[in-house]
Amino acid sequence: MKVIRVKDYQELGKKAAAIIIEHVKAKPDAVLGLATGSTPQTTYRELIRDHKENGTSYRQVTTVNLDEYIGLSPEDPNSYHYFMKKELFEAIDIASENTHLPNGEAADLEAECRRYDDLIRSVGGIDLQLLGIGRNGHIGFNEPGTSFQTRTHVVELAEDTRKANARFFPSLDAVPTSAITMGIQNILESKRILLLASGPAKAEAMARLLNQREITEAFPASCLHLHDDVTVIADEAALSLVD
Ligand code: PGA
């Protein structure tokens, strides 16, 4: 696991975007695994800036996102479909049919999970997967206790996760209680993984990941020690408790 230390959230976005851009230039039909949340926002802004200034093209790129809330429509401003459209997709030249997220409104959620696994396989697997990390160590919505063998599945969201995400909703009650997420196995099958962490709220999780290095399903991000091409980009605040 390689760790890149950056000064702050802005630098984090620049560094992560530079790695993604380099990847897309080397492989114009790359499959990018994308994430939502606050952490990747500066990265997406840098990708948009570079697209406008330097013309990096995403015309042949395919994206698969980690997760989506159950019960929110793609038009709901709190859905991850909406987030991706506003934060990235509508500002670059990616074809909307090449952008994929789980369907949180599927009538048969089990069938939707299998469809998503098949989709990831059919595009040849993920070349570069972007990840944030939850305060409890979750990656995607794989909460503590999730088996490392899981593929796309339905999860009940941990209370801590719902509280952390309540800032986007009118109240805690409005935060969905469940989601569809890629599983740990899907994530570990990505060829390369980029984990981003910013701010003091992530310091304890980063210390557990980088100091203790214990591999346990109680701390989902620890599965990344099993992968041989992981780059962590974190700012000084997120690394403040790391030895
Ligand atoms: P955040 O979420 O980027 O909004 O902190 C990260 C996560 O929970 O995976």
Side-chain angles (χ1 to χ4, degrees), residues 58-84:
Y58 297 83
R59 220 166 306 219
Q60 298 177 60
V61 165
T62 297
T63 64
V64 283
N65 262 76
L66 286 166
D67 44 21
E68 177 59 287
Y69 288 117
I70 288 175
L72 299 191
S73 83
E75 290 75 37
D76 187 312
N78 280 313
S79 74
Y80 289 165
H81 277 79
Y82 190 89
F83 176 99
M84 289 309 302

mmCIF file of all heavy atoms in Angstrom, residues 58-84:
data_model
loop_
_atom_site.group_PDB
_atom_site.id
_atom_site.type_symbol
_atom_site.label_atom_id
_atom_site.label_comp_id
_atom_site.label_asym_id
_atom_site.label_seq_id
_atom_site.Cartn_x
_atom_site.Cartn_y
_atom_site.Cartn_z
ATOM 1 N N TYR A 58 -13.462 11.576 -22.278
ATOM 2 C CA TYR A 58 -14.040 10.420 -21.583
ATOM 3 C C TYR A 58 -15.030 9.694 -22.489
ATOM 4 O O TYR A 58 -15.840 8.915 -22.021
ATOM 5 C CB TYR A 58 -14.708 10.884 -20.275
ATOM 6 C CG TYR A 58 -13.689 11.484 -19.337
ATOM 7 C CD1 TYR A 58 -13.292 12.816 -19.462
ATOM 8 C CD2 TYR A 58 -13.071 10.701 -18.373
ATOM 9 C CE1 TYR A 58 -12.314 13.363 -18.650
ATOM 10 C CE2 TYR A 58 -12.086 11.231 -17.544
ATOM 11 C CZ TYR A 58 -11.722 12.562 -17.689
ATOM 12 O OH TYR A 58 -10.739 13.081 -16.868
ATOM 13 N N ARG A 59 -14.945 9.980 -23.785
ATOM 14 C CA ARG A 59 -15.913 9.433 -24.734
ATOM 15 C C ARG A 59 -15.940 7.906 -24.733
ATOM 16 O O ARG A 59 -16.977 7.310 -24.902
ATOM 17 C CB ARG A 59 -15.579 9.943 -26.139
ATOM 18 C CG ARG A 59 -16.818 10.295 -26.931
ATOM 19 C CD ARG A 59 -16.433 11.099 -28.143
ATOM 20 N NE ARG A 59 -15.642 12.255 -27.719
ATOM 21 C CZ ARG A 59 -15.738 13.463 -28.234
ATOM 22 N NH1 ARG A 59 -16.577 13.687 -29.182
ATOM 23 N NH2 ARG A 59 -14.999 14.453 -27.808
ATOM 24 N N GLN A 60 -14.776 7.319 -24.527
ATOM 25 C CA GLN A 60 -14.740 5.841 -24.550
ATOM 26 C C GLN A 60 -14.698 5.220 -23.155
ATOM 27 O O GLN A 60 -14.615 4.010 -23.004
ATOM 28 C CB GLN A 60 -13.499 5.368 -25.307
ATOM 29 C CG GLN A 60 -13.446 5.790 -26.755
ATOM 30 C CD GLN A 60 -12.120 5.326 -27.363
ATOM 31 O OE1 GLN A 60 -11.821 4.144 -27.407
ATOM 32 N NE2 GLN A 60 -11.317 6.270 -27.809
ATOM 33 N N VAL A 61 -14.732 6.086 -22.132
ATOM 34 C CA VAL A 61 -14.627 5.582 -20.757
ATOM 35 C C VAL A 61 -15.971 5.015 -20.303
ATOM 36 O O VAL A 61 -17.029 5.505 -20.686
ATOM 37 C CB VAL A 61 -14.169 6.734 -19.816
ATOM 38 C CG1 VAL A 61 -14.385 6.391 -18.348
ATOM 39 C CG2 VAL A 61 -12.711 7.077 -20.088
ATOM 40 N N THR A 62 -15.899 3.962 -19.484
ATOM 41 C CA THR A 62 -17.092 3.422 -18.813
ATOM 42 C C THR A 62 -16.916 3.667 -17.324
ATOM 43 O O THR A 62 -15.809 3.542 -16.797
ATOM 44 C CB THR A 62 -17.202 1.903 -19.080
ATOM 45 O OG1 THR A 62 -17.376 1.706 -20.476
ATOM 46 C CG2 THR A 62 -18.372 1.288 -18.334
ATOM 47 N N THR A 63 -18.004 4.020 -16.647
ATOM 48 C CA THR A 63 -17.911 4.166 -15.193
ATOM 49 C C THR A 63 -18.920 3.251 -14.505
ATOM 50 O O THR A 63 -20.021 3.034 -15.006
ATOM 51 C CB THR A 63 -18.176 5.619 -14.728
ATOM 52 O OG1 THR A 63 -19.524 5.978 -15.057
ATOM 53 C CG2 THR A 63 -17.212 6.590 -15.370
ATOM 54 N N VAL A 64 -18.506 2.713 -13.374
ATOM 55 C CA VAL A 64 -19.422 1.961 -12.507
ATOM 56 C C VAL A 64 -19.269 2.528 -11.102
ATOM 57 O O VAL A 64 -18.153 2.612 -10.584
ATOM 58 C CB VAL A 64 -19.121 0.445 -12.504
ATOM 59 C CG1 VAL A 64 -19.633 -0.217 -13.764
ATOM 60 C CG2 VAL A 64 -17.657 0.132 -12.325
ATOM 61 N N ASN A 65 -20.375 2.957 -10.525
ATOM 62 C CA ASN A 65 -20.309 3.520 -9.181
ATOM 63 C C ASN A 65 -20.464 2.437 -8.116
ATOM 64 O O ASN A 65 -21.028 1.379 -8.362
ATOM 65 C CB ASN A 65 -21.388 4.585 -8.993
ATOM 66 C CG ASN A 65 -20.840 5.971 -9.183
ATOM 67 O OD1 ASN A 65 -20.607 6.384 -10.320
ATOM 68 N ND2 ASN A 65 -20.604 6.685 -8.096
ATOM 69 N N LEU A 66 -19.973 2.784 -6.947
ATOM 70 C CA LEU A 66 -19.993 1.818 -5.846
ATOM 71 C C LEU A 66 -21.384 1.490 -5.337
ATOM 72 O O LEU A 66 -21.663 0.350 -4.988
ATOM 73 C CB LEU A 66 -19.220 2.399 -4.649
ATOM 74 C CG LEU A 66 -17.705 2.434 -4.736
ATOM 75 C CD1 LEU A 66 -17.152 3.341 -3.643
ATOM 76 C CD2 LEU A 66 -17.157 1.019 -4.583
ATOM 77 N N ASP A 67 -22.246 2.520 -5.245
ATOM 78 C CA ASP A 67 -23.461 2.264 -4.473
ATOM 79 C C ASP A 67 -24.583 3.248 -4.796
ATOM 80 O O ASP A 67 -24.373 4.252 -5.494
ATOM 81 C CB ASP A 67 -23.148 2.289 -2.965
ATOM 82 C CG ASP A 67 -22.246 3.457 -2.563
ATOM 83 O OD1 ASP A 67 -22.162 4.449 -3.306
ATOM 84 O OD2 ASP A 67 -21.622 3.366 -1.494
ATOM 85 N N GLU A 68 -25.759 2.938 -4.284
ATOM 86 C CA GLU A 68 -26.923 3.820 -4.411
ATOM 87 C C GLU A 68 -27.883 3.495 -3.267
ATOM 88 O O GLU A 68 -27.986 2.344 -2.821
ATOM 89 C CB GLU A 68 -27.611 3.605 -5.771
ATOM 90 C CG GLU A 68 -28.882 4.406 -6.022
ATOM 91 C CD GLU A 68 -28.696 5.931 -5.934
ATOM 92 O OE1 GLU A 68 -28.538 6.433 -4.786
ATOM 93 O OE2 GLU A 68 -28.750 6.613 -6.981
ATOM 94 N N TYR A 69 -28.559 4.519 -2.790
ATOM 95 C CA TYR A 69 -29.589 4.324 -1.757
ATOM 96 C C TYR A 69 -30.777 3.562 -2.337
ATOM 97 O O TYR A 69 -31.126 3.751 -3.514
ATOM 98 C CB TYR A 69 -30.119 5.681 -1.285
ATOM 99 C CG TYR A 69 -29.167 6.481 -0.438
ATOM 100 C CD1 TYR A 69 -28.695 7.710 -0.885
ATOM 101 C CD2 TYR A 69 -28.776 6.040 0.820
ATOM 102 C CE1 TYR A 69 -27.844 8.484 -0.105
ATOM 103 C CE2 TYR A 69 -27.923 6.800 1.609
ATOM 104 C CZ TYR A 69 -27.468 8.019 1.146
ATOM 105 O OH TYR A 69 -26.636 8.775 1.924
ATOM 106 N N ILE A 70 -31.402 2.767 -1.513
ATOM 107 C CA ILE A 70 -32.641 2.099 -1.931
ATOM 108 C C ILE A 70 -33.810 3.055 -1.684
ATOM 109 O O ILE A 70 -33.914 3.670 -0.608
ATOM 110 C CB ILE A 70 -32.823 0.765 -1.177
ATOM 111 C CG1 ILE A 70 -31.799 -0.239 -1.725
ATOM 112 C CG2 ILE A 70 -34.246 0.216 -1.336
ATOM 113 C CD1 ILE A 70 -31.761 -1.561 -1.018
ATOM 114 N N GLY A 71 -34.637 3.186 -2.712
ATOM 115 C CA GLY A 71 -35.862 3.977 -2.556
ATOM 116 C C GLY A 71 -35.769 5.387 -3.116
ATOM 117 O O GLY A 71 -36.775 6.087 -3.168
ATOM 118 N N LEU A 72 -34.590 5.830 -3.523
ATOM 119 C CA LEU A 72 -34.493 7.171 -4.108
ATOM 120 C C LEU A 72 -34.440 7.060 -5.631
ATOM 121 O O LEU A 72 -33.723 6.221 -6.171
ATOM 122 C CB LEU A 72 -33.246 7.915 -3.618
ATOM 123 C CG LEU A 72 -33.118 8.189 -2.117
ATOM 124 C CD1 LEU A 72 -31.965 9.164 -1.860
ATOM 125 C CD2 LEU A 72 -34.404 8.735 -1.520
ATOM 126 N N SER A 73 -35.189 7.927 -6.301
ATOM 127 C CA SER A 73 -35.177 7.896 -7.770
ATOM 128 C C SER A 73 -33.938 8.636 -8.265
ATOM 129 O O SER A 73 -33.364 9.468 -7.535
ATOM 130 C CB SER A 73 -36.440 8.562 -8.314
ATOM 131 O OG SER A 73 -36.242 9.949 -8.353
ATOM 132 N N PRO A 74 -33.521 8.371 -9.496
ATOM 133 C CA PRO A 74 -32.331 9.064 -10.036
ATOM 134 C C PRO A 74 -32.492 10.584 -10.051
ATOM 135 O O PRO A 74 -31.501 11.308 -10.050
ATOM 136 C CB PRO A 74 -32.224 8.526 -11.462
ATOM 137 C CG PRO A 74 -32.929 7.214 -11.431
ATOM 138 C CD PRO A 74 -34.035 7.348 -10.420
ATOM 139 N N GLU A 75 -33.728 11.067 -10.043
ATOM 140 C CA GLU A 75 -33.953 12.531 -10.061
ATOM 141 C C GLU A 75 -33.913 13.136 -8.662
ATOM 142 O O GLU A 75 -33.906 14.356 -8.508
ATOM 143 C CB GLU A 75 -35.307 12.873 -10.698
ATOM 144 C CG GLU A 75 -35.384 12.622 -12.196
ATOM 145 C CD GLU A 75 -35.493 11.145 -12.541
ATOM 146 O OE1 GLU A 75 -36.184 10.417 -11.780
ATOM 147 O OE2 GLU A 75 -34.870 10.706 -13.525
ATOM 148 N N ASP A 76 -33.933 12.307 -7.636
ATOM 149 C CA ASP A 76 -33.908 12.828 -6.268
ATOM 150 C C ASP A 76 -32.536 13.450 -6.018
ATOM 151 O O ASP A 76 -31.506 12.791 -6.220
ATOM 152 C CB ASP A 76 -34.156 11.670 -5.285
ATOM 153 C CG ASP A 76 -34.304 12.160 -3.858
ATOM 154 O OD1 ASP A 76 -33.460 12.968 -3.402
ATOM 155 O OD2 ASP A 76 -35.261 11.757 -3.194
ATOM 156 N N PRO A 77 -32.487 14.713 -5.584
ATOM 157 C CA PRO A 77 -31.183 15.375 -5.386
ATOM 158 C C PRO A 77 -30.269 14.664 -4.391
ATOM 159 O O PRO A 77 -29.070 14.906 -4.386
ATOM 160 C CB PRO A 77 -31.552 16.772 -4.869
ATOM 161 C CG PRO A 77 -32.968 16.976 -5.288
ATOM 162 C CD PRO A 77 -33.619 15.617 -5.352
ATOM 163 N N ASN A 78 -30.822 13.788 -3.551
ATOM 164 C CA ASN A 78 -29.969 13.042 -2.632
ATOM 165 C C ASN A 78 -29.534 11.683 -3.167
ATOM 166 O O ASN A 78 -28.812 10.957 -2.490
ATOM 167 C CB ASN A 78 -30.664 12.860 -1.284
ATOM 168 C CG ASN A 78 -30.531 14.111 -0.441
ATOM 169 O OD1 ASN A 78 -29.448 14.663 -0.320
ATOM 170 N ND2 ASN A 78 -31.640 14.575 0.099
ATOM 171 N N SER A 79 -30.006 11.347 -4.371
ATOM 172 C CA SER A 79 -29.580 10.056 -4.929
ATOM 173 C C SER A 79 -28.160 10.185 -5.462
ATOM 174 O O SER A 79 -27.699 11.287 -5.807
ATOM 175 C CB SER A 79 -30.516 9.613 -6.052
ATOM 176 O OG SER A 79 -30.277 10.381 -7.220
ATOM 177 N N TYR A 80 -27.471 9.070 -5.540
ATOM 178 C CA TYR A 80 -26.108 9.095 -6.057
ATOM 179 C C TYR A 80 -26.099 9.230 -7.582
ATOM 180 O O TYR A 80 -25.121 9.725 -8.152
ATOM 181 C CB TYR A 80 -25.345 7.870 -5.565
ATOM 182 C CG TYR A 80 -25.022 7.948 -4.079
ATOM 183 C CD1 TYR A 80 -24.613 6.832 -3.365
ATOM 184 C CD2 TYR A 80 -25.114 9.156 -3.386
ATOM 185 C CE1 TYR A 80 -24.303 6.913 -2.012
ATOM 186 C CE2 TYR A 80 -24.808 9.246 -2.040
ATOM 187 C CZ TYR A 80 -24.399 8.117 -1.354
ATOM 188 O OH TYR A 80 -24.088 8.205 -0.019
ATOM 189 N N HIS A 81 -27.203 8.816 -8.228
ATOM 190 C CA HIS A 81 -27.333 9.086 -9.658
ATOM 191 C C HIS A 81 -27.251 10.605 -9.900
ATOM 192 O O HIS A 81 -26.527 11.080 -10.780
ATOM 193 C CB HIS A 81 -28.696 8.595 -10.198
ATOM 194 C CG HIS A 81 -28.755 7.145 -10.531
ATOM 195 N ND1 HIS A 81 -28.918 6.164 -9.569
ATOM 196 C CD2 HIS A 81 -28.699 6.481 -11.713
ATOM 197 C CE1 HIS A 81 -28.952 4.981 -10.154
ATOM 198 N NE2 HIS A 81 -28.827 5.140 -11.458
ATOM 199 N N TYR A 82 -28.030 11.319 -9.128
ATOM 200 C CA TYR A 82 -28.098 12.778 -9.279
ATOM 201 C C TYR A 82 -26.739 13.418 -8.959
ATOM 202 O O TYR A 82 -26.248 14.290 -9.677
ATOM 203 C CB TYR A 82 -29.192 13.314 -8.361
ATOM 204 C CG TYR A 82 -29.538 14.767 -8.576
ATOM 205 C CD1 TYR A 82 -30.522 15.135 -9.489
ATOM 206 C CD2 TYR A 82 -28.899 15.777 -7.855
ATOM 207 C CE1 TYR A 82 -30.856 16.466 -9.681
ATOM 208 C CE2 TYR A 82 -29.223 17.106 -8.040
ATOM 209 C CZ TYR A 82 -30.203 17.452 -8.957
ATOM 210 O OH TYR A 82 -30.520 18.772 -9.147
ATOM 211 N N PHE A 83 -26.134 12.953 -7.861
ATOM 212 C CA PHE A 83 -24.831 13.478 -7.452
ATOM 213 C C PHE A 83 -23.821 13.341 -8.590
ATOM 214 O O PHE A 83 -23.108 14.285 -8.941
ATOM 215 C CB PHE A 83 -24.345 12.709 -6.209
ATOM 216 C CG PHE A 83 -22.963 13.085 -5.738
ATOM 217 C CD1 PHE A 83 -22.780 13.978 -4.681
ATOM 218 C CD2 PHE A 83 -21.819 12.546 -6.339
ATOM 219 C CE1 PHE A 83 -21.498 14.328 -4.246
ATOM 220 C CE2 PHE A 83 -20.539 12.891 -5.923
ATOM 221 C CZ PHE A 83 -20.388 13.781 -4.865
ATOM 222 N N MET A 84 -23.747 12.155 -9.174
ATOM 223 C CA MET A 84 -22.742 11.921 -10.219
ATOM 224 C C MET A 84 -22.997 12.773 -11.456
ATOM 225 O O MET A 84 -22.065 13.275 -12.088
ATOM 226 C CB MET A 84 -22.690 10.438 -10.589
ATOM 227 C CG MET A 84 -22.083 9.548 -9.527
ATOM 228 S SD MET A 84 -20.474 10.068 -8.881
ATOM 229 C CE MET A 84 -19.474 10.107 -10.371
#
